[in-house]
């Protein structure tokens, strides 16, 4: 008699030999690497050292020239003037850039970074396959890796001196290490997970509170008699590494952290439809048109008070705006950018190559479908066991990815839901988006293969 509690995930292991599986994976990786390297080598960026990129570069060069963590771009290559330290941006990405500052030629510096980022972006595909294979089966994992490999957003991220490529890599590596630790129940794996999560938080502070959710998930959902120990094995390394940055700030500046970025993200995300008073000319940059911007952004208290006041005076408009933020968060076109580019480009294969134009059009067409399925997949992960039976490891993997996905969405509902910030979780989008498809395909397959019920009357 067939067990009705069979795992509802496609299992392709039985009909794809291991050497063929490895060959297909390598081919997908090579395609992903080719697309990334070709884009890096042929794209011409309009003023790459601007805005955030200018600050990250200044941090790295000031560390090299002065041993001071400062975003003062005037002192970055001027050794005669010592900059003042600050903590406006966290140090993860500037530390990543630091080894490349041996070159005094900014263009060579940027090119070297771009090629390394393209390599890290390709290595991310390996982690996607590891996570996908354990949850979706081999075919589902191939699909997830292929979508990640050809994603125009993930490919174009490598063109900028911005945190997103490194953050995507470290975040996915952290999730992969957490899943590996669940499989192996390895103390060293849990410790490394905490360290990786701390580094991810130092690259992009928005993930720092995810550590609390991970520890709570371990204590509540992970079926292990060492729950408390595992929680500590994650928490202690995380807080030990992350606190180095906080202690540095306290000793150097007199406070634990700079609230400037928090204020900015709350402030920039408070304007309905990213416009000031509905003015289309202000789209994407409404705070530049608001005469009260300086007063609003004066402190955390002032920006929160302003948001509360606007909810009180215009409740429907602002409630509708905050509930609609996920649609902006997952929007295909960059709001502060052009198409899939964060900073404008003068030339790109996505403008001239038939292959790249076709890939861009294909991914654009399936994007809303994939995002919708990913939300469904994130919900399915939390269904009761009796409704969708999975092994404990499959269920925990799905819930971990769902937890990370939901965390990022909620954080950017509270703040500014610029599409740029959703790109690092695009690999999770693809895995969760394929989960309902794989489950549905397996259910159909099982019903077709099920023996007829002899006791059923015609």
């Amino acid at each position: 008699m067939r067990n009705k509690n069979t795992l509802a995930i496609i299992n392709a292991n039985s009909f794809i030999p291991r050497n063929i599986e490895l060959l297909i994976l390598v081919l997908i990786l090579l395609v992903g690497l080719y697309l990334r390297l070709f884009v890096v080598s042929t794209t011409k960026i309009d003023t790459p050292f601007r805005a955030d990129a200018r600050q990250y570069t200044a941090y790295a060069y000031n560390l090299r020239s002065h041993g001071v963590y400062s975003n003062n771009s005037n002192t970055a290559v001027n050794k005669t003037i010592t900059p003042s330290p600050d903590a406006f941006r966290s140090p993860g990405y500037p530390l990543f850039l630091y080894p490349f500052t041996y070159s005094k030629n900014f263009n060579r510096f940027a090119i070297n970074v771009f090629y390394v980022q393209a390599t890290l972006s390709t290595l991310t595909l390996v982690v996607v396959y590891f996570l996908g294979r354990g949850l979706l089966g081999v075919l589902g994992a191939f699909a997830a890796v292929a979508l990640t490999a050809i994603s125009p957003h993930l490919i174009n991220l490598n063109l900028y001196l911005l945190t997103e490529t490194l953050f995507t890599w470290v975040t996915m590596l952290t999730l992969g290490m957490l899943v590996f630790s669940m499989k192996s129940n390895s103390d060293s794996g849990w410790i490394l997970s905490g360290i990786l999560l701390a580094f991810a938080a130092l690259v992009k502070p928005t993930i720092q509170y995810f550590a609390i959710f991970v520890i709570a998930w371990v204590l509540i959902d992970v079926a292990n008699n060492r729950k408390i120990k595992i929680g500590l094995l994650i928490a202690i390394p995380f807080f030990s590494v992350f606190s180095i940055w906080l202690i540095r700030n306290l000793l150097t500046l007199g406070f634990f952290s700079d609230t400037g970025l928090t204020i900015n993200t709350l402030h920039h995300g408070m304007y309905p439809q990213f416009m000031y008073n509905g003015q289309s000319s202000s789209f994407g940059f409404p705070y530049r048109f608001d005469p009260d911007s300086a007063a609003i952004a004066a402190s955390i208290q002032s920006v929160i008070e302003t948001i509360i006041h606007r909810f009180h005076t215009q409740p429907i408009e602002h409630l509708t705006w905050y509930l609609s933020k996920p649609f902006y968060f997952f929007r295909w076109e960059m709001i502060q950018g052009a198409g899939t580019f964060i900073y404008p480009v003068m030339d790109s294969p996505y403008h001239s190559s038939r292959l790249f134009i076709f890939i861009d059009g294909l991914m654009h067409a399936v994007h809303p479908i994939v995002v919708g399925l990913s939300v469904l997949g994130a919900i399915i992960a939390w269904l009761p066991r009796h409704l969708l039976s999975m092994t404990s490891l499959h269920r925990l993997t799905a819930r971990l990815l769902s937890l990370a996905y939901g965390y990022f969405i909620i954080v950017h509902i509270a703040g500014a839901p610029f599409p740029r910030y959703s790109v690092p979780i695009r690999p999770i989008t693809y895995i969760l988006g394929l989960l309902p498809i794989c489950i549905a395909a397996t259910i159909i397959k099982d019903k077709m293969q099920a023996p007829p019920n002899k006791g059923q009357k015609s």
Side-chain angles (χ1 to χ4, degrees):
M1 182 183 232
R2 184 176 175 273
N3 183 2
K4 293 183 179 180
N5 291 325
T6 303
L7 173 67
I9 297 290
I10 286 182
N11 184 355
N13 300 346
S14 59
F15 60 87
I16 296 184
R18 194 57 183 252
N19 58 337
I20 300 299
E21 177 188 345
L22 182 60
L23 176 61
I24 295 173
L25 176 60
V26 170
L27 289 175
I28 297 175
L29 294 178
L30 289 175
V31 170
L33 179 62
Y34 166 76
L35 295 175
R36 284 155 175 77
L37 293 180
F38 190 78
V39 165
V40 166
S41 64
T42 58
T43 303
K44 296 180 181 179
I45 309 169
D46 182 12
T47 318
F49 297 96
R50 63 166 71 191
D52 297 1
R54 183 183 182 89
Q55 291 187 354
Y56 289 123
T57 301
Y59 278 122
Y61 272 96
N62 277 321
L63 280 174
R64 169 74 67 178
S65 301
H66 306 281
V68 176
Y69 190 74
S70 170
N71 67 9
N72 188 335
S73 58
N74 295 322
T75 62
V77 291
N78 186 343
K79 294 186 178 182
T80 62
I81 304 174
T82 302
S84 299
D86 66 70
F88 184 68
R89 297 194 181 276
S90 52
Y93 191 63
L95 289 176
F96 167 75
L97 295 179
Y98 179 80
F100 302 96
T101 57
Y102 69 86
S103 174
K104 299 304 179 185
N105 184 309
F106 278 6
N107 289 331
R108 172 48 53 188
F109 159 80
I111 290 170
N112 291 341
V113 172
F114 296 160
Y115 277 108
V116 171
Q117 289 185 160
T119 304
L120 286 181
S121 183
T122 305
L123 291 175
T124 301
L125 303 179
V126 179
V127 184
V128 172
Y129 189 72
F130 168 75
L131 291 169
R133 192 180 190 278
L135 180 61
L136 308 173
V138 176
L139 295 182
F142 283 150
V145 175
L147 290 170
T148 308
I150 66 174
S151 167
H153 292 95
L154 289 169
I155 291 172
N156 286 330
L157 278 185
N158 304 308
L159 296 170
Y160 303 109
L161 298 166
L162 298 172
T163 61
E164 276 74 17
T165 292
L166 179 63
F167 183 65
T168 303
W169 160 243
V170 179
T171 299
M172 295 306 297
L173 194 60
T174 301
L175 295 173
M177 185 55 62
L178 285 167
V179 172
F180 169 79
S181 301
M182 285 190 292
K183 285 183 176 181
S184 62
N185 200 21
S186 164
D187 286 357
S188 58
W190 295 116
I191 292 171
L192 186 54
S193 297
I195 294 172
L196 287 170
L197 185 55
F199 185 66
L202 290 174
V203 174
K204 213 167 183 64
T206 49
I207 201 176
Q208 61 184 303
Y209 300 111
F210 184 58
I212 299 172
F213 289 84
V214 169
I215 294 168
W217 165 74
V218 168
L219 296 177
I220 295 171
D221 206 34
V222 175
N224 192 305
N225 56 8
R226 302 192 311 146
K227 288 183 177 184
I228 296 178
K229 180 180 179 181
I230 291 172
L232 291 174
L233 288 173
I234 297 172
I236 292 174
F238 173 84
F239 290 111
S240 297
V241 173
F242 192 73
S243 65
I244 295 173
W245 168 240
L246 302 180
I247 293 170
R248 173 265 178 192
N249 293 339
L250 182 63
L251 295 178
T252 305
L253 305 170
F255 52 79
F256 283 113
S257 62
D258 190 318
T259 59
L261 286 179
T262 303
I263 292 172
N264 284 349
T265 192
L266 292 173
H267 179 204
H268 298 174
M270 66 184 284
Y271 299 93
Q273 289 76 53
F274 280 119
M275 292 185 287
Y276 174 67
N277 288 343
Q279 299 175 13
S280 59
S281 59
S282 69
F283 181 71
F285 304 91
Y287 46 91
R288 295 180 180 177
F289 293 76
D290 189 345
D292 298 323
S293 273
I296 293 170
S299 67
I300 287 283
Q301 181 181 352
S302 61
V303 72
I304 292 177
E305 287 178 351
T306 303
I307 293 172
I308 293 173
H309 174 73
R310 295 193 178 187
F311 262 98
H312 179 71
T313 56
Q314 299 172 304
I316 301 300
E317 181 180 5
H318 285 274
L319 179 61
T320 302
W321 163 235
Y322 276 78
L323 291 177
S324 68
K325 280 188 177 184
F327 295 97
Y328 288 83
F329 184 56
F330 288 108
R331 177 177 164 143
W332 177 264
E333 295 86 2
M334 296 293 174
I335 291 173
Q336 291 184 341
T340 58
F341 298 100
I342 298 175
Y343 297 161
V345 297
M346 297 177 288
D347 190 23
S348 166
Y350 288 101
H351 297 159
S352 56
S353 167
R354 290 184 179 180
L355 173 62
F356 283 86
I357 292 172
F358 171 77
I359 291 174
D360 184 82
L362 174 65
M363 294 299 288
H364 191 179
V366 303
H367 180 69
I369 300 172
V370 172
V371 171
L373 287 171
S374 70
V375 174
L376 178 59
I379 295 171
I380 286 175
W382 299 95
L383 289 178
R385 298 181 185 183
H386 69 276
L387 292 180
L388 188 68
S389 183
M390 294 183 179
T391 66
S392 176
L393 181 60
H394 283 80
R395 186 175 62 255
L396 289 173
T397 301
R399 290 184 175 182
L400 175 63
L401 294 177
S402 175
L403 187 67
Y405 205 52
Y407 173 85
F408 277 94
I409 293 172
I410 291 171
V411 165
H412 290 93
I413 287 176
F418 291 114
R420 163 184 166 184
Y421 301 143
S422 73
V423 178
I425 60 171
R426 200 57 52 85
I428 305 176
T429 304
Y430 297 139
I431 295 173
L432 289 177
L434 286 162
L435 181 60
I437 296 175
C438 290
I439 290 175
T442 302
I443 292 174
I444 294 171
K445 175 186 173 184
D446 288 350
K447 286 186 176 181
M448 292 178 64
Q449 293 179 347
N453 187 348
K454 296 181 179 180
Q456 184 176 1
K457 294 181 180 181
S458 58

